[in-house]
Amino acid sequence: MDTVAGIDALLFSRIQFGFTIAFHIVFPAFTIGLSAFIATLEVLWLRTKQAHYHTLARFWTKIFAVSFAMGVVSGIVMEYQLGTNWSRFAQIIGNTLGPLFSYEVLTAFFLEASFLGIMLFGWNRFPPWLHTLACIVVAFGTALSGFWILSANSWMHTPAGFAMEQGITYPVSWFDIIFNPSFPYRFTHMMIAAYLTTALVVCATGARYALAGRFMPEARTMLHMGLGMLAVLAPLQAVVGDLHGLNTLQYQPAKVAAIEAHWDGSRPAPLVLFAWPESAAGRNRAEVAIPNLGSLIVTHDWNGRFRGLLDFPADQRPPVPPVFFMFRLMVALGLLMIAIGWVGAWLWWRKRLVDARWFLRPLARAWPLGFIAILAGWMVTEIGRQPWIVYGVLRTAQAASPVTAAQVATSLALFVLVYVVVFSVGVWYISRMIGSGPQPALPGPETLPNRPLAGGQPAPPAQPQVTP
């Protein structure tokens, strides 16, 4: 067998795609939420004329520009991989999924690109209502992009509306393809995750400024808006996640069994708090579990039963340990977000939020939690689908290109090097912009080109702050 260090070309291709998509997904998720936040700030400024809303909108637009650019660059590589590493997938499935990717470009990306210039460079050059409209359209465009991508990915989990002819898929009903059985749940779950991720970044930034006593009107606004989103959306995400789980149980029961590390489907499932699943032995080691609670959560019946991993042939079971552990990490972070939102809302209601340094200190460092939760959830979704690349239709091994392990390993090493450098520079530059803080716009019309990326400059001397 053609291998490098004991790893064959198929596994290298899976690692490469997983690595590139892990880097890519954080940027679209952040820009989806951030564009909605900027549009909200613009609407608030247009209605109230309070300067700090305008200042915050300009500040976060600079960060949006960097994140959007990094998302576009990191996403291009994945499309090339469909031709280089997964050519059989493109050949077999291309008739069905290819148009969905095209629709994303023709609708969402063109919509974003058309109004992005006004959003980034139109400050004081266009009427305020037009600039606000551009921000709203860009926010809608980012959500529409997520719509098409999640539709295509959901179809790979719950394929519908197609027919197989000579081993090739052909569309029969575009409505059924786009609105496949898992799409409503997965799209809603992902959009809420994007908004929660942005809310954590926003309120963490506000906490950072509040602790330093800088930009206090802007800090209060970021804390209030970010924590308000967490308090409302984090519990809602738990409800949506439960509905998504019921849908997954119906269409991908092996994934649910792996999530719960549930082997024996002949009896009610415990809620396994911790264990080390042993796939070869078909059991859990060092298990800590609550009897019957797993059945209650999964089936909403204390004595409910659902298929265990042993009910599936060994070659149709997903890798259990990564699915099991990543799901628990995602849930733990979700519960932490609920706690942050509710504690913050209580402190806000008691008018103690800005003075509660015991709460602001950990909050200022909580900005990565949403990104980690998204990556954990994505790993559960994609690894839990294995060994299928299109569930029940096409196995992952059947979709790979006839390339050598050495070729994929070489490109993987180059991708790791380039992505680490680009990602590090991007995070450093965004951190520097946040360190400089939101600066008020210069009075009067702009006579020099607006520089949306010029955020890494030292901040001017602080002006006296007036609390509204």
Side-chain angles (χ1 to χ4, degrees), residues 240-316:
V240 173
D242 179 65
L243 296 174
H244 186 195
L246 294 176
N247 178 265
T248 305
L249 178 64
Q250 180 180 357
Y251 291 97
Q252 293 180 305
K255 180 189 291 185
V256 174
I259 287 173
E260 299 298 330
H262 178 51
W263 299 93
D264 185 1
S266 65
R267 58 180 182 175
L271 175 62
V272 181
L273 302 178
F274 177 81
W276 185 262
E278 285 190 341
S279 299
R283 63 185 179 89
N284 297 327
R285 290 181 55 192
E287 180 178 286
V288 178
I290 302 175
N292 291 64
L293 190 55
S295 288
L296 180 63
I297 294 173
V298 173
T299 67
H300 295 182
D301 182 350
W302 181 258
N303 292 309
R305 289 170 172 79
F306 58 96
R307 297 172 69 184
L309 288 162
L310 296 178
D311 295 325
F312 301 91
D315 65 346
Q316 294 185 20

Side-chain angles (χ1 to χ4, degrees), residues 69 74 81 86 108 175 203 246 258 273 283 305 333 354 365 412:
S74 60
Q81 287 182 75
W86 303 101
F175 183 87
C203 61
L246 294 176
L273 302 178
R283 63 185 179 89
R305 289 170 172 79
L333 291 175
V354 177
R365 294 171 173 80
L412 172 60

